[in-house]
Amino acid sequence: MFIILEKAVLGMAFLRLLSGSIEIFAAIMMLRFNSVEKAFMINSSLALVGPIILILTTTIGLAGLVGTISPMKIIWILLGVAFILIGVKS
């Protein structure tokens, strides 16, 4: 028996797997370099990955929901994501 996955769900899951893989790779690199300065630089680079994955995953999710939820709910979701990004930036 085959399970048919929604394209949006598959895309969102792939992005999260990619994000997790990048995080694991970064941790391995930190251990390999064994330097606080290098680990700090690697960790700072990860600060770019999180928001990008959040935006892409949310975009895919919203694209999958466009026909099923009201435009007002979409606006609330986008506002929520914007507030998260503003809060993290501060």
Side-chain angles (χ1 to χ4, degrees):
M1 181 164 109
F2 291 101
I3 298 173
I4 299 175
L5 297 173
E6 293 264 349
K7 288 181 184 178
V9 173
L10 193 59
M12 293 170 74
F14 172 75
L15 283 172
R16 286 297 168 190
L17 286 170
L18 177 64
S19 175
S21 298
I22 291 170
E23 295 273 346
I24 291 169
F25 179 72
I28 292 169
M29 294 305 292
M30 287 178 189
L31 293 171
R32 183 168 182 251
F33 288 125
N34 194 28
S35 161
V36 175
E37 293 84 13
K38 299 260 187 199
F40 187 76
M41 287 175 39
I42 293 168
N43 190 60
S44 298
S45 301
L46 288 174
L48 296 172
V49 174
I52 291 170
I53 296 295
L54 173 67
I55 291 169
L56 290 174
T57 304
T58 303
T59 303
I60 292 171
L62 284 176
L65 290 173
V66 164
T68 60
I69 62 173
S70 71
M72 193 62 191
K73 285 187 180 179
I74 291 175
I75 290 170
W76 281 113
I77 293 169
L78 291 174
L79 267 172
V81 171
F83 285 141
I84 290 170
L85 293 174
I86 290 168
V88 170
K89 184 179 178 186
S90 299

